[in-house]
Amino acid sequence: MKNKTETKENQMWGGRFSRGPTAIMEEINASIDIDKRLWREDIAGSKAHVAMLEATGIISHDDKTAIDQGLNQIAKEIEGGTFEFSKSLEDIHMNIEARLKDIIGAPAGRLHTARSRNDQVATDFRLWVRRACDDTQAALKTLMHALATAATENADTVMPGFTHLQTAQPVTFGHHLLAYVEMFARDASRFSDARKRMNECPLGAAALAGTAFPIDRQATASALGFDRPTANSLDSVSSRDFALEALGAASITATHLSRLAEELVMWTSPHFGFVTLSDSFSTGSSIMPQKRNPDAAELVRAKAGRIIGSLNNLLIVMKGLPLAYAKDMQEDKATTFEGFDALALALAAMAGMIGDLKPNKEAMKDAAKLGYSTATDIADWLVRVLDMPFRDAHHVTGAVVALAEKKSVTLDQLALKDMQSIEPRITNDIFSILTVDASAASRTSYGGTAPDNVKQEADRWLAALK
């Protein structure tokens, strides 16, 4: 005697199967625990499809109306938490269709005319990834605004710039923050580009070969906000490069987040002491009461691994699949959902930390004075004032630095006569360029760290991000 669930499941599969799957098969085959997140997209796709079926005369107005009303009720049930998802019905598509039949009876059977779960899931998934790209761009905009705001407030806050993590030249904190604005702006553009390429509708490709019904694919594409229908039915149901591209953009964004998170970890340590994060984004130690750990930054740094792993996972799933659809592709959603969930949380946490951090301007300035950071300013002065070839100026400056190091003084503390022992034409004017403030202010070239440049760029970004 078949139970009701098995009977319903067999009806969904059709007359080819006399028995339902074993428990193991049901467990490995079902995706409802994952793809139930697609319910909004699935209902939207079904509504667009049934409207097209009525418009082309494939189904009646009465059936279309009944299906619409049933789908509306299902949406309310899912939103209200009363909808019962069944693993025996495998996925979101069959769960919704089975419930639709419970509600409206026979007309529900007309919904699946001229489509397959293959083009249905491809459409649902594109809709979800498209929305994830939009949401990510909005989150990036929030983070960029926080960075640009902090840059405006710190346009003249001097800090050491590093190469090889060694003190290089003085820069401003605002300039450093704007570097990340540029990175995240490129990330946003990658999501925008990916969205444009994925904005084609697979619905109507059916299982793999299209359909004999006189459907209007342009109508369904337009109803769902796509630019056009996909042009090849095989490609429509078998391609997941839209998700791969989106995860690729997510992975690059994650590397930028991780780099900024790493700097926050360093800057908040007592060895740097450049910034502090409040209790909102820090935790304590269970044994060391003095500790303030930048756990939020560390976790953002770790999320990069999960996001990049999601991309690798989907690449490996897709790399050996012949056309068209294969069940392997059921694994596409879990890894994509996980990647974008991690990215959304990381972006929100980073925006929060940037808005929360407090710079220690004195510590930054003191650090900028270390490591003979104004040495390049001496070389530039020798070129500009003494008309010395830069390579010669570089050699003279190296000797000046070596002498200061030998005497254990900073460059601005080195006596003029000591400098003149290396290059007699050096005058007292050289001391005017040896402060870290003067060094940063002198970098007025386009894209340079001069405070006026930074203020102008930060204002430009804030205006653009409104």
Side-chain angles (χ1 to χ4, degrees):
M1 187 76 178
K2 296 178 182 177
N3 62 40
K4 288 180 67 178
T5 301
E6 184 179 326
T7 301
K8 181 183 287 188
E9 196 276 337
N10 291 346
Q11 288 173 349
M12 299 303 293
W13 276 63
R16 171 66 178 82
F17 295 86
S18 60
R19 294 191 303 169
T22 65
I24 294 173
M25 179 60 190
E26 181 178 292
E27 186 67 27
I28 196 171
N29 195 48
S31 61
I32 187 59
D33 290 342
I34 301 297
D35 64 27
K36 63 185 178 184
R37 289 179 62 164
L38 295 174
W39 71 267
R40 291 181 180 85
E41 290 77 14
D42 199 70
I43 289 176
S46 290
K47 281 177 164 287
H49 183 66
V50 77
M52 180 274 297
L53 291 177
E54 183 207 12
T56 53
I58 298 172
I59 68 170
S60 70
H61 173 73
D62 288 347
D63 285 345
K64 184 263 184 186
T65 300
I67 291 170
D68 262 344
Q69 290 174 347
L71 291 172
N72 289 339
Q73 179 175 329
I74 291 169
K76 290 179 181 178
E77 290 176 2
I78 297 175
E79 285 180 331
T82 61
F83 188 93
E84 294 185 13
F85 293 100
S86 170
K87 185 166 286 190
S88 69
L89 292 170
E90 294 186 28
D91 55 35
I92 188 61
H93 324 299
M94 293 176 74
N95 269 264
I96 287 176
E97 188 174 336
R99 178 59 181 147
L100 185 65
K101 186 174 182 181
D102 289 341
I103 297 169
I104 68 172
R110 300 193 183 279
L111 174 58
H112 211 53
T113 307
R115 76 175 185 185
S116 161
R117 280 193 294 172
N118 292 356
D119 63 336
Q120 190 178 358
V121 70
T123 302
D124 291 358
F125 197 28
R126 280 194 191 229
L127 287 169
W128 190 93
V129 175
R130 188 179 72 180
R131 180 161 55 87
C133 287
D134 292 341
D135 291 345
T136 303
Q137 288 182 78
L140 281 165
K141 183 177 179 180
T142 299
L143 174 55
M144 291 164 63
H145 192 279
L147 287 162
T149 299
T152 299
E153 297 166 355
N154 292 278
D156 59 355
T157 300
V158 178
M159 66 175 289
F162 299 98
T163 61
H164 310 277
L165 204 55
Q166 305 295 311
T167 302
Q169 293 176 272
V171 297
T172 64
F173 187 42
H175 191 59
H176 196 111
L177 295 174
L178 286 179
Y180 283 103
V181 174
E182 295 290 334
M183 294 182 212
F184 292 128
R186 292 194 296 273
D187 292 330
S189 72
R190 274 183 278 271
F191 284 105
S192 179
D193 290 344
R195 191 194 194 283
K196 290 175 185 175
R197 268 183 289 279
M198 77 176 66
N199 207 35
E200 297 181 343
C201 184
L203 198 58
L208 77 164
T211 178
F213 289 95
I215 62 173
D216 183 352
R217 293 192 62 207
Q218 186 61 56
T220 49
S222 179
L224 293 169
F226 289 106
D227 295 330
R228 63 192 70 83
T230 49
N232 183 284
S233 60
L234 288 168
D235 175 60
S236 301
V237 299
S238 63
S239 294
R240 293 296 183 269
D241 55 355
F242 63 90
L244 288 168
E245 185 172 10
L247 284 172
S251 296
I252 296 172
T253 303
T255 64
H256 292 153
L257 286 168
S258 184
R259 294 181 75 179
L260 180 52
E262 170 66 13
E263 294 199 308
L264 289 177
V265 171
M266 292 192 303
W267 292 343
T268 55
S269 72
H271 305 286
F272 280 78
F274 288 180
V275 302
T276 57
L277 290 170
S278 75
D279 294 349
S280 298
F281 293 96
S282 305
T283 64
S285 165
S286 63
I287 190 173
M288 296 168 284
Q290 84 281 7
K291 295 287 294 298
R292 180 188 287 274
N293 299 323
D295 282 8
E298 292 171 354
L299 289 167
V300 167
R301 187 174 59 187
K303 293 293 183 188
R306 298 180 72 89
I307 297 162
I308 295 167
S310 293
L311 171 61
N312 288 338
N313 190 338
L314 187 53
L315 282 167
I316 294 166
V317 167
M318 296 301 300
K319 71 174 181 60
L321 299 185
L323 300 183
Y325 182 83
K327 196 69 169 180
D328 310 51
M329 294 162 68
Q330 184 169 287
E331 295 296 315
D332 58 1
K333 288 168 283 298
T335 189
T336 304
F337 293 162
E338 181 180 12
F340 274 97
D341 286 348
L343 181 61
L345 184 55
L347 284 167
M350 184 57 73
M353 283 186 284
I354 295 301
D356 179 78
L357 65 80
K358 296 291 185 290
N360 184 340
K361 298 185 178 184
E362 289 186 8
M364 286 185 177
K365 190 170 186 176
D366 288 343
K369 297 175 183 178
L370 302 175
Y372 306 102
S373 65
T374 57
T376 304
D377 296 276
I378 294 178
D380 289 347
W381 186 91
L382 293 171
V383 171
R384 188 174 61 253
V385 177
L386 302 185
D387 197 26
M388 188 179 291
F390 183 80
R391 284 302 169 201
D392 294 344
H394 186 280
H395 180 79
V396 169
T397 302
V400 171
V401 170
L403 183 57
E405 198 170 29
K406 183 179 179 181
K407 290 179 173 287
S408 299
V409 296
T410 61
L411 292 174
D412 60 335
Q413 292 172 337
L414 192 63
L416 177 62
K417 65 178 182 179
D418 289 330
M419 295 189 194
Q420 290 174 333
S421 70
I422 298 168
E423 171 49 65
R425 292 179 294 167
I426 293 177
T427 68
N428 200 58
D429 178 64
I430 201 169
F431 290 99
S432 67
I433 55 92
L434 289 182
T435 67
V436 291
D437 290 303
S439 177
S442 71
R443 303 298 192 249
T444 57
S445 60
Y446 179 75
T449 192
D452 287 344
N453 285 13
V454 173
K455 184 68 167 62
Q456 184 176 354
E457 275 299 290
D459 288 344
R460 180 182 71 82
W461 272 115
L462 288 172
L465 292 166
K466 281 184 179 178

